[in-house]
Amino acid sequence: MTMTRVAVVTGGSRGIGSAICKALQAEGRTVIANYAGNDARALAFAEETGIKVHRWDVGDHEATIENCARIAQDVGPIDIVVNNAGVTRDGVLHKMSFEDWNEVMRINLGGCFNMAKATFPGMRERGWGRIVNIGSINGQAGQYGQVNYAAAKSGIHGFTKALAQEGAKFGVTVNAIAPGYIDTDMVAAVPAPVLEKIVAKIPVGRLGQAEEIARGVVFLTSEAGGFVTGSTMSINGGQHMY
Ligand code: CAA
């Protein structure tokens, strides 16, 4: 039987994050979904699932520390973290602003650091923890028009392998999942002709489903998963075999 442990999923009210929240809830975890801005979607998600939602910007260091402390006080120590929150600001380098570079680094990569600072020390002290960072195929392979996103996601993969080494002795595993193109709002925002060309290159012949990423998270956060650490699980329909 799965223990009732507290799991925080960033960017948990929509897209891949919401599927992760539901899958962890089905495993008996006490799930808290963080979200950044879309109150209407978050409240609808909370109503539909009974999962509590907490609004803050994971790119904001102090806000992350404060909110995680509040969650721990209200529902118990945070044993599982899924760093899923991420944004795109696509554009070719010669048109990309510094703000578009910085915002993606601040949220996608900085969010992982902020969440780890807020929760890893406690996991280490208690001798058990699971951190799963959502990277991307585009962090592994690069992508035209995404120097910011590819750099941040690639950074997530390095962050994962470094923190995994620090957590190993203390029962804390740190792993990454590298999704390919998944059927979410983020991918729907890719111009249709560009997306068609991308899908044509996916051997499985379709976009992935958010639930297909969530299943990987369930495995990596399981009680029995203690020997899996520092790994990257690619879930991409065979688009990039790494
Ligand atoms: N390789 C080579 N050339 C490419 C290219 C590619 N992959 N994509 C576009 N180009 C070329 C075009 O053919 C075009 O060339 P010509 O002018 O000679 O015809 C030129 O680049 C400009 O293309 P656009 O008209 O599209 O230029 P734009 O400035 O309007 O837009 C872009 C550029 C923002 C990069 C746009 O093409 C785009 O949004 N691409 C999709 C990027 C992408 O895949 N993002 C993933 C988002 S989902 C996600 O990130 C989730 C995840 O983790 C997987």
Side-chain angles (χ1 to χ4, degrees):
M1 202 195 72
T2 305
M3 280 181 70
T4 305
R5 294 190 184 271
V6 175
V8 175
V9 180
T10 69
S13 64
R14 299 195 287 137
I16 292 174
S18 68
I20 293 171
C21 284
K22 290 181 198 169
L24 291 177
Q25 185 187 44
E27 288 297 302
R29 308 305 196 183
T30 300
V31 180
I32 307 290
N34 149 271
Y35 73 102
N38 192 330
D39 288 319
R41 284 285 290 272
L43 294 177
F45 171 79
E47 212 157 280
E48 174 203 333
T49 59
I51 290 170
K52 278 197 196 135
V53 293
H54 279 240
R55 178 177 171 156
W56 82 89
D57 172 3
V58 293
D60 180 332
H61 187 73
E62 277 73 37
T64 303
I65 302 292
E66 276 167 29
N67 278 280
C68 286
R70 193 166 311 139
I71 291 167
Q73 209 165 33
D74 290 353
V75 289
I78 300 168
D79 282 338
I80 299 171
V81 167
V82 184
N83 285 312
N84 165 77
V87 297
T88 52
R89 296 281 187 276
D90 292 356
V92 288
L93 178 94
H94 67 275
K95 294 185 197 164
M96 187 180 288
S97 66
F98 177 67
E99 285 67 35
D100 286 345
W101 163 263
N102 217 27
E103 193 65 349
V104 170
M105 296 303 285
R106 187 183 76 80
I107 296 171
N108 298 17
L109 185 54
C112 292
F113 175 79
N114 295 336
M115 284 300 295
K117 281 293 282 185
T119 61
F120 180 79
M123 294 177 184
R124 194 175 173 275
E125 273 163 32
R126 294 187 301 276
W128 198 95
R130 298 281 183 267
I131 298 178
V132 179
N133 300 317
I134 305 300
S136 169
I137 187 174
N138 294 347
Q140 297 172 309
Q143 169 62 41
Y144 188 101
Q146 281 200 314
V147 293
N148 49 5
Y149 187 87
K153 291 296 191 179
S154 186
I156 285 177
H157 294 300
F159 177 92
T160 299
K161 292 176 211 175
L163 191 60
Q165 293 181 31
E166 296 185 21
K169 274 204 299 250
F170 302 97
V172 182
T173 70
V174 187
N175 292 286
I177 292 183
Y181 282 72
I182 308 301
D183 190 5
T184 60
D185 293 346
M186 183 184 274
V187 167
V190 174
V194 178
L195 189 57
E196 267 167 41
K197 282 191 203 146
I198 291 170
V199 175
K201 288 191 192 138
I202 304 175
V204 169
R206 61 171 175 85
L207 294 176
Q209 294 301 314
E211 291 71 22
E212 293 175 304
I213 304 303
R215 268 179 227 123
V217 174
V218 166
F219 169 67
L220 292 172
T221 57
S222 65
E223 302 295 321
F227 204 57
V228 185
T229 197
S231 76
T232 300
M233 188 189 280
S234 295
I235 307 181
N236 61 28
Q239 191 184 344
H240 180 66
M241 300 189 185
Y242 192 74

